[in-house]
């Protein structure tokens, strides 16, 4: 795909995001696009950056590091994949937001690294509401100890929740999962007195429903960049 087509697709996504926000009685600026650039070349990221996109999502540490070295430092990188504890030192302080904190062990490792670096790392908790064994995310019943820990951290800033719902051909079938995550965030805000203002939910096939249910971050890759080259 050439740069002109990619930018046109990016603008279309932004227009659809704004329309979905208006449908929900929200401002377009309430929702931010994370362009998921994993397995796409640095030149594709650069083309969108030059068009005005600033937030990009990566799943693989080594790939992200190569892009960081090649691209402007003003880019805000989001880590959205499953993060292994042995990769924590490569991620803390380099990504503006880590979407996938899914265990107390990982949270402690992130906090120790951030403390050693003398910084505060922004994080989201990924919740596996459907209990799907093939997906990352903490189960709802296991969340309380992690929430207690994050609420008291000095070097992790808990920004909210992240969700990957079950896959459906019809985005309306994903809507109840988005609504459920929003309700969970509201309960956690009340319980801990924290803003928890971010909800990372919604991808290429269902982002409009996610926005209507309260998403503040949508993670869109294929709709913008096209299919990934996995060879």
């Amino acid at each position: 795909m050439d740069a002109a087509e990619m930018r046109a697709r990016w603008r279309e996504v932004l227009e659809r995001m704004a329309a979905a926000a208006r449908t929900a009685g929200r401002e377009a600026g309430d929702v931010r696009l994370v362009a998921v650039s994993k397995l796409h070349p640095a030149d594709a990221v650069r083309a969108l950056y030059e068009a005005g996109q600033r937030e990009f999502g990566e799943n693989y540490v080594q790939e992200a590091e190569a892009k960081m070295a090649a691209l402007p430092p003003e880019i805000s990188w989001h880590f959205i994949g499953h993060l292994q504890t042995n990769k924590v030192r490569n991620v803390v302080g380099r990504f503006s937001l880590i979407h996938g904190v899914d265990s107390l062990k990982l949270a402690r490792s992130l906090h120790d690294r951030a403390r050693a670096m003398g910084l505060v790392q922004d994080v989201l908790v990924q919740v596996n509401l459907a209990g799907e064994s093939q997906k990352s995310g903490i189960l709802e019943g296991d969340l309380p100890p992690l929430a207690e820990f994050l609420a008291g951290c000095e070097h992790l800033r808990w920004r909210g929740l992240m969700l990957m719902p079950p896959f459906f051909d019809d985005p309306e079938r994903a809507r109840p999962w988005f609504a459920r995550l929003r309700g969970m965030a509201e309960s956690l805000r009340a319980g801990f007195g924290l803003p928890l203002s971010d909800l990372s939910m919604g991808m290429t096939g269902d982002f409009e429903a996610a926005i209507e249910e309260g998403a503040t971050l949508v993670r869109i890759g294929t709709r913008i960049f096209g299919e990934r080259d996995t060879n």
Side-chain angles (χ1 to χ4, degrees), residues 149-167:
F149 177 78
L150 288 174
C153 279
E154 294 181 11
H155 293 275
L156 296 181
R157 183 183 296 112
W158 183 19
R159 291 260 304 271
L161 303 176
M162 182 267 211
L163 174 69
M164 292 184 67
F167 174 78

Side-chain angles (χ1 to χ4, degrees), residues 117-130:
M117 295 177 70
L119 54 80
V120 177
Q121 174 69 56
D122 286 350
V123 300
L124 301 175
V125 170
Q126 181 176 352
V127 185
N128 188 344
L129 285 179

Side-chain angles (χ1 to χ4, degrees), residues 1-2 5-7 9-10 13 33-49 53 55-58 67 204 220-229:
M1 183 188 306
D2 64 26
E5 181 182 354
M6 187 170 57
R7 287 171 176 164
R9 291 167 67 130
W10 169 71
V13 166
L33 169 63
V34 179
V36 180
S37 49
K38 68 174 183 179
L39 301 180
H40 293 289
D43 285 348
V45 175
R46 188 184 301 277
L48 279 195
Y49 170 82
Q53 177 65 27
E55 297 182 87
F56 292 87
E58 291 286 332
K67 289 175 182 173
T204 289
I220 302 176
T222 303
R223 183 63 211 154
I224 297 170
F225 294 102
E227 295 296 330
R228 297 179 179 91
D229 182 4

